[in-house]
Amino acid sequence: MSLGQRVSSDHQLARLLQIGVVLEEVVESRAAHHLESLPPEKREAVDEEVRELLVEAAEESADHRERLEALIADLDAETVAYEEINALVDAQYGPPEDTDGVLYDQLCNEETAYKFYDDLIDAIEASDAEYALDRDRLLETLSEIREEEKEGVEEVTEIMEHRA
């Protein structure tokens, strides 16, 4: 999404929120599967800090997904089921090779989500369209999610710096 693009209709807003749901479902699924996808000898080497990071990331993405789904429901639109995305993630992505790969993947996920929400907020703010849901509630929800993604980027970066 470019910063110059505006969200000009409920339909367009619903589609963009649906993309956010899919993004959160991918992050949730990948975080949940990272540890179990590592070879057993590498899985044992993952420290508690990384384990907690992945659990928190999966829980946060599930929360974000639910909040986005509530906005989508207010637009009388549907969303993609987590189970469908989870199956696609299992089929599409290979497992990381080690803890550094897990952290790098998680950092990419957090950065991608942050950038998506940042651009979406900009596009909504650039539009003078009226939506079927409350604009303040929409922007507040998206801003809270964006801030949590920013904190996720900072947390993963901090862990990576301590490991270097």
Side-chain angles (χ1 to χ4, degrees):
M1 163 181 285
S2 88
L3 291 175
Q5 184 178 4
R6 296 173 187 219
V7 181
S8 58
S9 68
D10 282 347
H11 177 74
Q12 186 181 18
L13 177 60
R15 298 302 283 167
L16 291 167
L17 293 173
Q18 289 166 337
I19 290 169
V21 168
V22 170
L23 176 64
E24 294 295 347
E25 288 173 340
V26 169
V27 172
E28 180 181 354
S29 179
R30 294 194 69 178
H33 289 93
H34 276 319
L35 286 179
E36 62 194 50
S37 66
L38 286 172
E41 66 279 2
K42 301 228 179 189
R43 192 176 314 141
E44 294 170 9
V46 176
D47 58 45
E48 193 59 32
E49 185 176 37
V50 174
R51 290 177 191 277
E52 287 177 18
L53 172 79
L54 294 174
V55 168
E56 288 172 12
E59 290 172 352
E60 180 180 279
S61 289
D63 175 64
H64 292 175
R65 177 173 47 85
E66 290 169 3
R67 290 160 65 187
L68 292 170
E69 287 172 342
L71 294 172
I72 292 167
D74 287 349
L75 293 169
D76 291 327
E78 294 183 15
T79 189
V80 180
Y82 172 75
E83 293 74 23
E84 291 179 46
I85 300 301
N86 192 33
L88 292 172
V89 168
D90 284 345
Q92 185 69 26
Y93 297 101
E97 295 181 18
D98 55 22
T99 304
D100 289 340
V102 168
L103 288 171
Y104 180 75
D105 186 72
Q106 190 59 36
L107 179 62
C108 291
N109 290 337
E110 298 281 356
E111 287 176 332
T112 300
Y114 174 81
K115 181 66 173 144
F116 173 79
Y117 293 115
D118 195 51
D119 287 350
L120 180 55
I121 290 166
D122 285 346
I124 292 168
E125 288 176 339
S127 176
D128 56 3
E130 291 189 28
Y131 308 117
L133 53 89
D134 181 70
R135 185 184 198 91
D136 290 337
R137 176 176 156 242
L138 170 66
L139 289 171
E140 180 181 330
T141 299
L142 294 175
S143 294
E144 288 170 357
I145 292 172
R146 176 184 62 186
E147 184 60 30
E148 290 167 6
E149 297 297 350
K150 179 182 174 186
E151 291 169 3
V153 169
E154 292 167 352
E155 184 177 357
V156 175
T157 301
E158 185 177 311
I159 291 171
M160 292 174 84
E161 288 172 354
H162 283 102
R163 299 176 65 82

